[in-house]
Amino acid sequence: MKNIQILDCTLRDGGRIINCEFPDAVIRDISLELSNANIDIIELGFLRRPDLVSDQSNTTFFTEISQMIPYISKKNQDTMYVAFVDYDMYDFSKLDKCDGKSITGIRVGFTKKQWLEDKQGILETLYFVKNQGYHLFVQGVNSLAYSDRELLDVIDLMNEIKPYSFGIVDTYGAMYLEDVIHYYNLVDYNLDNQIRIDIHTHNNFQLAFASAQEIVRLTTAKRNVILDATLNGMGKCAGNLNTELIVDYLSRKKNYNYDMDIILDVIDRYIYPIKNDKEWGYSIPAFMAGIYKLHPNNIIYLTEKYRLNSKDMKYIVSSIDTEKRQRYDYQNIRKLYRDYCESKVDEEKTIEQLEEYFKGKTIVVLAPGRTIELEHQRIDQYIRGHDALVIGVNFIPKNLKYNFLFYANTIHWEKISNWIERDHCILTSNIHTDVDGTFLVDYSSLIVDDSVLGDNSTIMLLYLLKKLEVRKIMLAGFDGLNEYGDNYVDHTFPNRKNSLNAMQVNREVTNLFEQYKEKVHGKISIDFLTPSLYKN
């Protein structure tokens, strides 16, 4: 008889990357096929209070146990179905008794802070879930937050409650193998042998699969172990242990009877299409989330909202208060980002100096769109014919003369900062690297606060030109995005990672541009030298 079980949490933890918005038919098919593949435990989703769930369909956020009945296969009686409940997000008094028609297991998650502040309430809840007839899974969030002594105190109480399982939870993907070994040995030695140990890992350090193998090696016949996993490792930020990897490993090494073909088919049909739109897996930001034990939403927000290099990201996440790292407070992150970017500069002298260069000039703004290459002869003729002052935005124009380079993004600036002549470079104050000898202007005065693209570099430059009281601006290379095309003249430009598609970006930048034109109407003449989706 096998003593290791796989708990697939694709529909719950994996689903968080799409806000658990699975079509009902997909929920049903994934659940059915996982059961057909002989997966031991299937987590169907979250159980939440009704006021926390906006839609009752096409989601794995459930408000009642009965809502999960359609997703439970009757073919494989050996499969257990469970749901996850965050301690503060459900009214447990509404929990129906387990009648065997729906899920038979409840996983209760709570933070260390909740445990310290409301231990008695949590204990009563755990007893209540068990007394309602459910298999009780206890999931203390972020096991690394507990000292050995604190964890032993928790284990003593678990030995009294006798849940179905007790979790070692690497919430932020911060455990190295020695941490996994240490916590497993500590729990294994002190936890009642009848209680399963449930291992939940994340892949921030690319160790989820290695950790699972180590647990298999450490496990003896006296102890039953549960390994949490998701299809293709699906999950926020770095993702989870891959179901297919641990299925293959246990099938080969333990002769377990999982059906790999079914697993791969499910991934092909349902998970790959999601991954084409959403990213997860190892990355430098995910690595930093592991280092600083951050909730992945903090990293996701920073990468989607702002274009940051790794050093900037490291500085910002390290400044988040330790307690706040375990949740996510977007307002706090915005403040930290703003504080970081607002290296207060006294730009008055800089503006005066720039005004001397710009006064009375026609300004040609060279944004990095592909039309710079396609229309370079026309642009060059205009520049020569009008004795225009030319500014390149985040790139160095080729085959076109320029007077200034404007950089509002650290990633682009650091590509050229070591060899470019600084005396005609204008930088915004969110750039902290190699700024000596440049014209440094205030970042915060150039962005549009209420827009997800309010730090668009071309828009920021336009606001700087407004400060400089120029009278005429001609735009080139301010093209707009083609979803399937090569959009930039500089092929090393990184794609901005955010939640907007090309059409949404074009719409938002158009709005920003229209707002700008309204503000400078009658003061600055603006026109295009090259085709643009932003031109009315």
Side-chain angles (χ1 to χ4, degrees), residues 18 36 56 112 114 140 148 164 193 242 263 276 316 349 387 455 462 469-470 511:
I18 55 171
N36 290 341
Q56 300 294 320
K112 180 182 176 182
Q114 290 169 335
D148 288 358
Y164 184 82
N193 287 336
N242 294 55
I263 295 293
N276 287 335
I316 293 167
K349 184 177 180 181
D387 189 29
D455 62 343
L462 292 178
E469 298 183 352
V470 303
N511 290 337

Side-chain angles (χ1 to χ4, degrees), residues 315-459:
Y315 179 89
I316 293 167
V317 300
S318 66
S319 64
I320 299 175
D321 182 76
T322 301
E323 185 174 306
K324 289 184 177 180
R325 292 179 191 181
Q326 297 180 16
R327 290 293 182 184
Y328 47 94
D329 181 344
Y330 296 148
Q331 183 175 350
N332 180 57
I333 296 174
R334 287 194 294 270
K335 179 182 182 302
L336 292 173
Y337 177 73
R338 181 63 61 83
D339 290 346
Y340 180 64
C341 291
E342 285 183 353
S343 302
K344 285 295 184 184
V345 294
D346 184 1
E347 67 171 22
E348 183 176 351
K349 184 177 180 181
T350 299
I351 296 298
E352 290 177 358
Q353 290 175 323
L354 291 174
E355 282 177 337
E356 293 181 13
Y357 289 104
F358 285 69
K359 188 175 182 179
K361 291 284 189 181
T362 294
I363 310 300
V364 172
V365 172
L366 300 179
R370 286 293 307 281
T371 56
I372 292 292
E373 290 178 337
L374 302 175
E375 304 277 351
H376 78 274
Q377 289 184 340
R378 181 178 174 218
I379 298 168
D380 185 57
Q381 288 175 0
Y382 183 90
I383 292 170
R384 294 177 186 277
H386 294 79
D387 189 29
L389 187 147
V390 182
I391 312 175
V393 181
N394 279 340
F395 82 113
I396 300 174
K398 297 177 181 178
N399 304 319
L400 290 170
K401 82 176 188 76
Y402 62 90
N403 304 95
F404 287 92
L405 298 173
F406 178 79
Y407 280 86
N409 181 276
T410 302
I411 293 174
H412 298 311
W413 171 245
E414 288 189 346
K415 289 191 296 185
I416 57 95
S417 63
N418 288 329
W419 54 270
I420 195 72
E421 293 183 8
R422 311 288 185 84
D423 56 349
H424 283 269
C425 293
I426 303 170
L427 309 183
T428 52
S429 60
N430 57 310
I431 298 175
H432 298 165
T433 306
D434 296 330
V435 299
D436 293 341
T438 66
F439 292 95
L440 199 62
V441 296
D442 180 42
Y443 164 88
S444 61
S445 64
L446 303 180
I447 63 171
V448 181
D449 280 330
D450 59 354
S451 170
V452 69
L453 299 178
D455 62 343
N456 176 280
S457 296
T458 302
I459 297 294

Side-chain angles (χ1 to χ4, degrees), residues 83-96:
F84 192 98
V85 186
D86 290 291
Y87 174 66
D88 59 347
M89 294 186 180
Y90 181 69
D91 181 356
F92 285 91
S93 68
K94 306 295 185 183
L95 181 66
D96 295 328

Side-chain angles (χ1 to χ4, degrees), residues 29-64:
D29 286 355
I30 289 177
S31 174
L32 173 63
E33 296 298 355
L34 287 173
S35 178
N36 290 341
N38 297 318
I39 296 300
D40 306 284
I41 306 170
I42 299 171
E43 190 172 50
L44 289 177
F46 289 94
L47 191 58
R48 292 270 169 95
R49 294 195 312 269
D51 62 293
L52 298 177
V53 180
S54 58
D55 194 346
Q56 300 294 320
S57 62
N58 300 310
T59 180
T60 54
F61 286 120
F62 301 99
T63 59
E64 297 177 11

Side-chain angles (χ1 to χ4, degrees), residues 92 95 106 108 125-134 136:
F92 285 91
L95 181 66
I106 299 286
V108 180
T125 296
L126 298 180
Y127 275 115
F128 178 76
V129 170
K130 188 176 178 183
N131 290 336
Q132 289 295 88
Y134 294 92
L136 170 64

